[in-house]
Amino acid sequence: MFFNKGKKEKKTKKTNITNMLTPTPKEDKKKIIKTQMNLSSSDNKVYFGALGGMGEKIGCNLYLYGTRGEWIIIDMGIGFPTERMAGAEYVIPDTTFLRSIKDRIKAILLTHSHEDHYGAIPYIWPEIRCPIYGSAFALKMLENKLAENDLLGKVPMKKVSKEGAHFKIGHFDIEYFHFTHSIPQSNGIIIRTEQGNILHTGDWKFDPTPLIDTTTDMNALKRVAKEGVLAIMCDSTNALELEHSRSEADVIIELEKVIKNIKEGKVVITCFSTNVARIESIYKSAKATGRKLVVMGRSMETVIDIAKSEGYLKDFDYLSAEEAYKLDNRQVLYLCTGTQGEPRSVLTRVSENTYTDLKLHAGDTVIFSSKMIPGNEESILAVQNNLSRMGVNVIATIDNPKIHASGHGSKPELEQLYNLLKPQIVVPVHGEPIHIFRNAKIAQGCKIQHVEIINNGDFIELEAGKKPHITEVIPTGEIIIDGTRHISSTNEIFSARRKINYNGAVFISLVLNKSGLAEKPEISSFGVFETDGSGFTKSAIVKEIQSTIKNLSKKELTKDETIKEITKASARRVIRDLMDKKPPISVHIIRK
């Protein structure tokens, strides 16, 4: 699991990089002695662990650092549900461990304001109630979330200067510094401890011309490199990309070219609503091509308002849909939400022809200035297919990669960071397994002494001059936000929804008296029987139930559960034989 500088392999044996990077298997974890991490104020070791963000669908970032009986949290993000979580809205990390140490948690530190890094705060903060540190932009974004959850004014928030800040939280010495990303005021965090300096990167890249904000604060990185770095907990999102990430300034040039070449029809462009740098690029491209910008989508408008209040998007103005009606198509550029095919986004509704303020027709063009986030491919392609059926020209990064620039560092940037800071330890974070493993290989290639891959729930001990090792494994998992409820991802409600989705559902009502059926069984369904037709299957089920109940003893007729089970079995036999389906069946009994 660790990389050891100077360790030699026999010439006849190749290094198995995959095996070296395999996380501790479950059977080995059972042997780990529970240490009750740093409950003592005399324990000056540093502990790091993740409750979310490690080796899963991207999201749910939540990382913890502990020393001398105190803890800080870095980021607290949401994830998005998979198909198995049918009907769910969001996913958040399991908070059981946080509740157990809530009196020891000193603060939540936000690296930036993307939802996968701060969106879970309204759901988790009420359980731990500690101060939250972040940039002015991040805290304004958070305020919107808190207002939606009736928490505005109840959460203590401490603003960190966008130029950086240096302060103490208990036994942690904290330094914020600017890291370039796609949203304003993104930060890396240096944590100085008795064991050494730790860098938690957040989301980052090296962009020489970032358009908004300044370039990454290289002076801060050089300063901590000179001091010496114990560990880097580093974003893995773009570890698979072999070329240096594209600069935002290059995107403007390409967007202008693409838009200039469109001679007819409406032009619509979509990007992430939080990508303020891209919004600026699109606005400048509109101006350069003689077009007026029309912004559509509440989340996009909210981000624009916050960005303007913080001094970004200067001289930025846009039209309403009503104002755009008066102009020729060649004078307008529509900017819409919906880059990931979100169900209620503007572009999704436009593609379904259900959005009244914008209608597209054959010959119009839609530009996707974004990448597909893993897991969203199906919803994005559904939108693009709908648009194509209309005769709309779809331009995506697969057609022209230069219309998008990622906000995450790729392989050359990871190498640059590791070679500059020369940490003793690298722990890849924030990514699916393939991203995390690739990041680990990159670190190994930079001769990092120890590279540690951990899973959610694993806590490692960091001590100067020693190999990191897993010291405790905390039970963790996913909590689903389902309407107003917080429920486990393993709750049977989700398997029931999936079964109904594929098989429909059948409902049977029985009216019974002491002798048996008092009335003919009533049968209804969702998605199983046709609403019209002969009703042959329903009739067959009724006959089977009548026959079965007729043969029950008087004692059996008094037991509702027995009757429910034999009724379900009767209905299942008929439906299986006639339809080859296995829908969930619910039986209701009324007694006279």
Side-chain angles (χ1 to χ4, degrees):
M1 184 179 297
F2 308 104
F3 290 111
N4 298 310
K5 190 179 286 186
K7 186 176 180 180
K8 294 181 179 178
E9 294 285 345
K10 293 179 181 178
K11 290 184 179 178
T12 57
K13 186 178 179 181
K14 291 184 178 179
T15 301
N16 188 332
I17 194 78
T18 303
N19 289 341
M20 292 173 74
L21 295 174
T22 302
T24 306
K26 289 181 180 178
E27 57 269 24
D28 291 341
K29 289 181 180 180
K30 292 176 183 176
K31 301 173 186 176
I32 295 172
I33 298 172
K34 299 292 180 182
T35 62
Q36 299 303 309
M37 297 169 294
N38 75 6
L39 292 184
S40 169
S41 59
S42 63
D43 183 1
N44 71 348
K45 295 171 187 172
V46 178
Y47 300 90
F48 169 76
L51 298 187
M54 304 294 287
E56 57 189 33
K57 184 180 177 182
I58 289 174
C60 285
N61 292 283
L62 198 162
Y63 307 99
L64 292 108
Y65 294 86
T67 192
R68 290 195 177 275
E70 299 174 340
W71 291 89
I72 57 171
I73 297 171
I74 293 187
D75 291 337
M76 189 173 280
I78 58 170
F80 295 93
T82 60
E83 261 189 27
R84 68 183 177 84
M85 304 168 191
E89 295 172 72
Y90 301 115
V91 182
I92 63 173
D94 188 310
T95 58
T96 304
F97 178 64
L98 295 185
R99 290 195 298 271
S100 72
I101 61 167
K102 65 180 181 180
D103 294 334
R104 298 173 177 269
I105 298 172
K106 298 300 178 182
I108 300 167
L109 309 178
L110 300 182
T111 59
H112 66 289
S113 52
H114 278 142
E115 284 199 293
D116 60 329
H117 290 261
Y118 84 102
I121 288 175
Y123 308 107
I124 298 176
W125 182 86
E127 300 184 50
I128 56 178
R129 295 182 175 271
C130 61
I132 298 176
Y133 290 76
S135 68
F137 191 93
L139 295 182
K140 284 184 179 179
M141 292 285 285
L142 176 58
E143 283 176 352
N144 280 311
K145 288 286 180 186
L146 296 176
E148 292 171 5
N149 292 271
D150 195 30
L151 287 171
L152 190 60
K154 300 175 183 178
V155 179
M157 296 190 288
K158 298 181 181 293
K159 184 167 65 175
V160 175
S161 170
K162 63 182 179 181
E163 283 78 29
H166 196 165
F167 53 91
K168 285 194 173 185
I169 300 175
H171 286 88
F172 297 96
D173 186 297
I174 304 296
E175 181 179 354
Y176 268 71
F177 70 96
H178 180 65
F179 245 143
T180 303
H181 189 42
S182 57
I183 198 166
Q185 300 175 18
S186 296
N187 295 283
I189 299 175
I190 299 167
I191 308 166
R192 292 179 172 87
T193 72
E194 293 175 62
Q195 298 300 327
N197 299 329
I198 300 167
L199 169 61
H200 192 104
T201 67
D203 292 357
W204 68 280
K205 65 185 286 189
F206 291 135
D207 186 345
T209 50
L211 198 64
I212 61 166
D213 271 351
T214 57
T215 56
T216 291
D217 186 352
M218 297 303 294
N219 288 331
L221 290 174
K222 290 174 182 176
R223 185 169 59 250
V224 74
K226 189 174 181 180
E227 294 174 16
V229 178
L230 173 64
I232 298 178
M233 281 57 181
C234 185
D235 171 27
S236 305
T237 308
N238 257 8
L240 299 177
E241 300 297 327
L242 301 181
E243 296 183 0
H244 195 290
S245 60
R246 192 172 290 108
S247 174
E248 190 62 36
D250 296 330
V251 175
I252 298 178
I253 296 170
E254 194 62 29
L255 286 177
E256 287 179 15
K257 288 180 183 177
V258 171
I259 294 167
K260 276 180 181 176
N261 287 332
I262 300 170
K263 305 300 182 185
E264 296 181 3
K266 294 187 181 78
V267 181
V268 177
I269 190 165
T270 182
C271 72
F272 295 106
S273 62
T274 55
N275 192 337
V276 177
R278 188 62 40 77
I279 293 171
E280 175 83 342
S281 296
I282 290 167
Y283 176 71
K284 288 185 175 181
S285 298
K287 288 190 73 173
T289 54
R291 294 173 181 264
K292 299 286 187 181
L293 192 66
V294 179
V295 176
M296 293 181 154
R298 187 169 62 87
S299 61
M300 187 91 68
E301 292 173 351
T302 297
V303 172
I304 289 171
D305 288 343
I306 292 174
K308 292 178 98 173
S309 73
E310 281 297 301
Y312 303 100
L313 302 179
K314 294 175 181 177
D315 303 320
F316 186 99
D317 62 323
Y318 57 91
L319 304 180
S320 66
E322 292 79 10
E323 291 170 317
Y325 288 143
K326 303 171 186 176
L327 300 176
D328 184 272
N329 288 337
R330 289 171 293 184
Q331 297 176 295
V332 180
L333 177 64
Y334 296 90
L335 173 58
C336 298
T337 57
T339 178
Q340 299 302 297
E342 301 91 334
R344 288 173 284 184
S345 67
V346 170
L347 190 58
T348 298
R349 291 155 65 195
V350 168
S351 77
E352 295 168 348
N353 202 25
T354 59
Y355 191 71
T356 56
D357 288 336
L358 180 60
K359 301 291 182 182
L360 296 183
H361 306 90
D364 294 336
T365 300
V366 173
I367 303 167
F368 284 77
S369 183
S370 58
K371 67 180 287 187
M372 288 190 186
I373 294 177
N376 293 343
E377 294 88 351
E378 187 175 342
S379 58
I380 296 169
L381 288 172
V383 171
Q384 293 179 350
N385 283 329
N386 286 341
L387 294 169
S388 297
R389 289 188 190 98
M390 295 177 178
V392 172
N393 302 311
V394 175
I395 301 174
T397 51
I398 194 170
D399 308 299
N400 184 348
K402 294 180 180 179
I403 60 175
H404 174 65
S406 174
H408 300 267
S410 57
K411 181 176 183 285
E413 288 148 285
L414 290 167
E415 291 172 336
Q416 183 180 348
L417 184 70
Y418 296 150
N419 289 330
L420 171 64
L421 297 185
K422 295 181 172 57
Q424 296 175 39
I425 302 162
V426 165
V427 182
V429 300
H430 189 8
E432 297 182 12
I434 191 169
H435 306 119
I436 285 175
F437 274 69
R438 187 64 58 87
N439 191 356
K441 285 187 179 183
I442 293 167
Q444 188 268 346
C446 294
K447 310 300 182 186
I448 303 302
Q449 189 174 3
H450 306 298
V451 177
E452 178 78 4
I453 287 181
I454 64 174
N455 293 312
N456 291 329
D458 294 346
F459 279 75
I460 58 174
E461 184 179 290
L462 304 172
E463 193 171 1
K466 294 186 179 181
K467 294 178 181 179
H469 63 277
I470 294 178
T471 189
E472 191 156 356
V473 180
I474 301 299
T476 188
E478 298 170 320
I479 300 298
I480 309 303
I481 307 299
D482 187 63
T484 59
R485 298 179 299 171
H486 296 193
I487 55 180
S488 168
S489 61
T490 59
N491 193 297
E492 64 181 12
I493 190 173
F494 296 114
S495 63
R497 288 177 184 175
R498 293 196 300 274
K499 286 178 183 177
I500 292 171
N501 184 47
Y502 289 107
N503 295 287
V506 173
F507 305 93
I508 301 171
S509 296
L510 305 177
V511 180
L512 301 173
N513 56 28
K514 292 180 181 180
S515 303
L517 285 168
E519 298 177 15
K520 180 181 175 182
E522 287 289 334
I523 300 174
S524 59
S525 78
F526 286 120
V528 180
F529 311 122
E530 295 82 357
T531 54
D532 52 8
S534 63
F536 179 78
T537 304
K538 286 185 182 181
S539 298
I541 294 172
V542 168
K543 289 178 182 178
E544 185 74 12
I545 292 171
Q546 288 173 326
S547 175
T548 302
I549 291 179
K550 185 178 180 180
N551 293 322
L552 294 178
S553 67
K554 287 186 177 181
K555 185 176 180 180
E556 288 172 322
L557 284 171
T558 63
K559 298 178 179 179
D560 284 3
E561 287 307 312
T562 299
I563 294 172
K564 285 181 180 181
E565 288 307 312
I566 64 107
T567 300
K568 288 179 183 179
S570 300
R572 284 194 196 102
R573 282 195 299 273
V574 175
I575 295 169
R576 182 190 62 220
D577 293 344
L578 296 180
M579 306 181 74
D580 194 24
K581 300 292 288 182
K582 298 178 180 179
I585 298 170
S586 179
V587 178
H588 303 273
I589 293 176
I590 301 169
R591 289 192 176 271
K592 284 191 172 182

